[in-house]
Structures are given as structure tokens and as C-alpha cells.
């Protein structure tokens, strides 16, 4: 099962080409991830996983990010939709996968069917705030996220060759 | 051979933990890449590769990014140093590799020797502005970038199993 | 008459206090202004006033900004509403006035009635792209913006004494 | 006496016109202010005034900002210099005044003498973190900042008529 998180673009996201800047794309993903972690799953998992404020008992840290830019994202008044799912539940880590869906209008096609413009993965480690060390995901957390587990993204391009 | 590009941090780069936000890390890499492409190589390669303004004959687009966050980057008045090299010269693409070097002071070590805090790769495609299609790197461009060709980064983590 | 422009907050707008950072507040105003100029008034005024892209016949430049932060803006899922009107139509300039309205929930009040959190003014000069010089607002532009003309903001604080 | 704070520009500060975006100008001022408050004055004043982290005994809040954009700021590799002084010491507030100095090269002049591109004021209120209420500046703080007291900026433009 995938979450569908709408994220509103801003003019300031655009670069001189009139497309969302490639770094700002990561902001859109961050925005979707925080919204998703905040609002889904049982309260306890919510607290554990999402609560990345400096006072929380559990911190979450991004340890790795991979992004493929498939099509440039132009400006749309309607939010883009970030599809979001879990690609892997590790011992102390979560792979969050994303696809940014938007109309393919820049190609002048007849259809307004949203197509994938970006696909990405972020690996997040869950850290015990008291010790500063990674801690295992609890059974409750696993149960909460299990329904969103789907096959991870197959990236087309990973450098050279 | 690697380029050593100093990049000055800003307070606004920091998040609530007092570390450079993981998205802002990409800005530091972008800053280093633009500075490097601007100032090195012969003029013609310069124009071809770097000149990503909307009026240039050649555009460059980021098609893929991969980042590993090894250590959190705290605030330093002295610039961090972005080591930058070419991991692969493709037909129409360049893999730019980076390591962000900063003192390891947050671990209270005796040494101020800079250590790698981030390693990353960005794949850039060179596009003919007139046709909007990727074009082959010229011999001149290859010759200009050859000295900076070094083995690509071996990423430790690419998503769960 | 005032325009009511909804603007969606982002987590990245917040600073370490959990409030929208004072510089990001200007981004919210920019976002509202661009949305307003884009979608209102006759087409010709639209083109003339809004079209601040580098290829347009008319450019608009911000020459002066004044902002008063009345209450900190906390995070809300619902968009804040930026009230926007014209405080003055000059020869070649427009004073855009704003109030950011949001629920006063941070004070724990019983009411969810939106209250003003920020008031601001931006003065914009209209420039002929060909000459690079300010040009007079046309009669058409004046007519288009006349309905939004209201008394300007009275700022409480303008530095010392 | 004025402080001279160098601030390094970034490519991402530029908008589609190739000038520093008007909102990013505020970031440059913020950067200069934080650097200045951190490094000047006696330690106690330093702590009191600057320490705007969420754990400090004293918080500082921006309550009002005024900016005049005199000339567009183009990209320079050399840092711009932010001149910074105190325009007014109030009971619980400080007016920080700024001028951003950069070469006037965009006008093709013969001279590289830096000229003012921006002038601005930020009013900051000092708040007791325990009570959340403004508190009076201490004698120590006044003494620390007295040397930087100079006449405030005379703004040319404050909205029509």
C-alpha cells in the first residue's frame, strides 16, 4: 500500500529554466515524508518514528539518499502527489521510497494522466536520544509500517558504465 | 587529481539539532560543483560543461544523485572543503563525485585532521540547447576533464538487502 | 477589496523555536504576491505587472520591503491566508500590502478566529525590459488594480523612539 | 563604529535575472547579524544577546524589518561586506542597521570602490526564556553595544505619500 501525499509547489522552487530545482526536489520529498510519518500508524509508532524534534525520546537521522530525475517538474497550481512507501524495514533503519507524480503537460501530450517525474529512496536510522545510538525498531513500529511495505525502487542509473 | 573547493557554511544551513540539514548538504555540493566547473579546464570546456544558464548553447541537467551522510556536519566558521573529481566520463554524461571534509571535532578527538562527513555522486547530462537532446562530450571536453578522472565512490548503503 | 491568498506552510519554514523563520515569512509573502498578480486583473495588466520572467517585455523589481512580526506563526496543516491589497499606485510603482492571517492557537484561546500575525508592505517598480528604466503604469493597469486600492498599513514600529 | 562582516554569496542566492533574490538578501543580513553578535562584545553580552538557541536563558526575536534595495547585487566570488551597527538601544530592544557593500561593476564604471547596494534595519527584542516576556537590556549589555551606536538609517521610501 502506498501513501499519496499532496505537496504544493512554490515559485521559489523553480530555477532559471522554469523547473523545480534539483535540490528543492529533496525538500518536496522531506515535506511528504514528515507529513506521512506524522499522520499515519498508531500513536506510539507516530511518536517513535516521526518525532524528530530535538526534545523527543527518539531521533531519526537520514543516512543515505538516492534520487533519479526522470522528467523536469514544471510549475503547477495543483499540488504534485508524492507516492510514498517503505522499501525495507531493517533492524534500526527504514528505507522510505518515493515517486513524484505530476501531469506530463510539458510534453504537450493529450493526456493529463500523472506520470512519475522523480523516483527516490531515503534511508532513515532510528536513534535513542538518551544514548545517541541506533536502536532496534519495536514490534509496534514494525506492525504499524508493515502495510506500507512494497518492493523497493529499481534505480536505472547508479553512475558509470 | 581532485579539486579542493572551500564552501562557507551559513547559520541557516543548520536544523534544530545544530547540524547542517540533509537537504542543505546538496546545496553545498551544488555550490562546489558550480565553482569548480566555472574555474577549471580550458575556456571551451568551461563553456560547454558549466554554462548552465538558460541562454547558453549547452545546458547541463542533473539526472541522478546519491548521497551518504557519514557524520553530522556541525557549524564551523572556516569553510568546509568539498573534494571533487570525475568518477566516470560517459558518452553524454559526467559523474561528479564529492567528499565533504571537515574537522571531526564533534567527537571530541584530539586531532583536527579533516575527515569525510559526506560522500556523494551527481550524474549530469550535457544537452544541446537548440535541440533539447543530449549531445556527446567533445574531445576537447574529454581532454579537459581527463586529469580529474579517479575511481568512483563505493557507496556502503544502497537500501536494504 | 482585498485578495485572500492561501499559502501552504512547509516544515522547512520552521526554525529551532518551531515558528516560521522571519526570513521565510518574506517567502510566504512573495508566494502570495506572485499568485495574486498572476491570476487577477485583465490579461494585459497581468502580462505587464506580473510577468517578471527574464524574457518579458516588462520586469518588476522589489525596491523596498517593510515587515512587522506581530505574533509567531506556528505550524498549521491548513494554509495560512495572506490578505493582499494595493496601498498606493505611484507613477511607476505599486505598494503591495499584506496581512498574514492564522489561528491564534498558540495562545490557547477559545476561539479559532484567524488573527493577523504579520503585516507588511512591498514596493515594486515596473521597468521597461528594453530600456531597463522604470516606466509609467498604463491606464489599463491602473484600472485593473484600482478595485484593490485600500488604505496602506500603519506600521507600529519603525526603529528607535 | 561599524562592524564589517564579510558574507560569501552562493549561486543559489541568484534569481532568474542573475541578481541576489530580494528575500535571500535578508538571509545575508541574518548571517551577518549572527556572526557579529557571536563574536563581539564581552562574553556576558554575547551570551545574553546572541544566544538565540532554544535552550538559552535569553531568546531574541525579530519584531520588525525594513529593507531598501538600492542596486541589484550580482554574483561575486569575493564576499560582500555587510556594515553593521546599532541604530538605537531601547529598553528591551535593539535596532540593528546594515549596509551591504559590493563593487559597482554592473554599471561598468571604472572604479571598483564598493558602494551600498542595500540598506536595512532589524529590530530585535530580548526575551527572558523562563517567562517568555521581554526583559530590559542589562547595563553590561548596554556598555558592550554602546561603541557601535551610530545614527540610524534614513529610509528614502516608505510607501506612497
Amino acid at each position: 500500500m502506498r501513501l499519496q501525499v499532496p505537496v504544493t509547489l512554490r515559485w521559489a522552487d523553480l530555477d532559471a529554466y522554469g523547473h523545480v530545482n534539483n535540490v528543492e526536489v529533496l525538500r518536496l520529498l522531506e515535506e511528504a515524508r514528515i507529513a506521512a510519518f506524522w499522520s499515519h500508524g498508531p500513536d506510539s509508532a507516530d511518536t517513535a518514528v516521526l518525532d524528530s524534534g530535538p526534545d523527543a525520546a527518539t531521533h531519526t537521522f537520514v543516512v543515505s539518499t538516492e534520487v533519479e530525475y526522470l522528467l523536469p517538474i514544471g510549475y503547477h497550481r495543483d499540488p504534485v502527489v508524492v507516492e510514498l512507501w517503505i522499501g525495507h524495514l531493517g533492524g534500526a533503519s527504514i528505507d522510505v521510497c518515493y515517486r513524484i507524480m505530476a501531469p506530463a503537460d510539458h510534453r504537450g501530450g493529450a493526456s493529463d494522466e500523472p506520470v512519475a517525474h522523480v523516483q527516490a529512496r531515503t534511508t532513515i536510522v532510528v536513534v535513542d536520544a538518551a544514548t545517541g545510538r541506533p536502536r532496534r525498531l519495536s514490534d509496534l513500529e514494525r506492525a504499524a509500517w508493515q502495510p506500507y511495505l512494497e518492493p523497493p525502487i529499481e534505480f536505472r542509473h547508479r553512475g558509470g558504465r
Side-chain angles (χ1 to χ4, degrees), chain A:
Chain A
M1 186 168 62
R2 300 184 178 193
L3 295 169
Q4 311 284 333
V5 186
V7 177
T8 304
L9 301 181
R10 291 187 181 170
W11 282 97
D13 296 338
L14 305 182
D15 60 19
Y17 293 114
H19 302 141
V20 176
N21 171 272
N22 69 86
V23 178
E24 287 307 310
V25 163
L26 279 279
R27 277 277 171 247
L28 304 183
L29 301 180
E30 176 191 68
E31 190 67 20
R33 183 177 70 242
I34 293 173
F37 275 54
W38 186 278
S39 53
H40 293 272
D43 281 359
S44 54
D46 237 36
T47 305
V49 178
L50 133 283
D51 205 350
S52 55
D55 300 326
T58 296
H59 293 174
T60 55
F61 288 105
V62 173
V63 295
S64 164
T65 298
E66 193 166 359
V67 190
E68 267 179 20
Y69 303 91
L70 308 173
L71 290 170
I73 305 175
Y75 184 77
H76 306 88
R77 283 176 178 283
D78 293 330
V80 297
V81 171
V82 180
E83 282 186 5
L84 189 147
W85 69 98
I86 309 292
H88 180 72
L89 282 170
S93 71
I94 302 169
D95 285 1
V96 183
C97 295
Y98 320 78
R99 289 203 312 166
I100 302 184
M101 308 300 288
D105 53 11
H106 57 281
R107 296 185 300 187
S111 158
D112 260 9
E113 202 64 26
V115 299
H117 284 57
V118 168
Q119 59 185 5
R121 167 192 54 82
T122 306
T123 301
I124 292 170
V125 165
V126 177
V127 168
D128 184 299
T131 65
R133 300 198 160 277
R135 68 150 176 78
R136 292 192 67 77
L137 295 177
S138 71
D139 289 349
L140 204 56
E141 288 164 347
R142 282 179 195 286
W145 286 100
Q146 192 68 40
Y148 303 101
L149 199 57
E150 291 211 8
I153 289 166
E154 308 243 341
F155 288 98
R156 303 178 186 180
H157 187 101
R158 281 186 147 164
R161 215 95 351 141

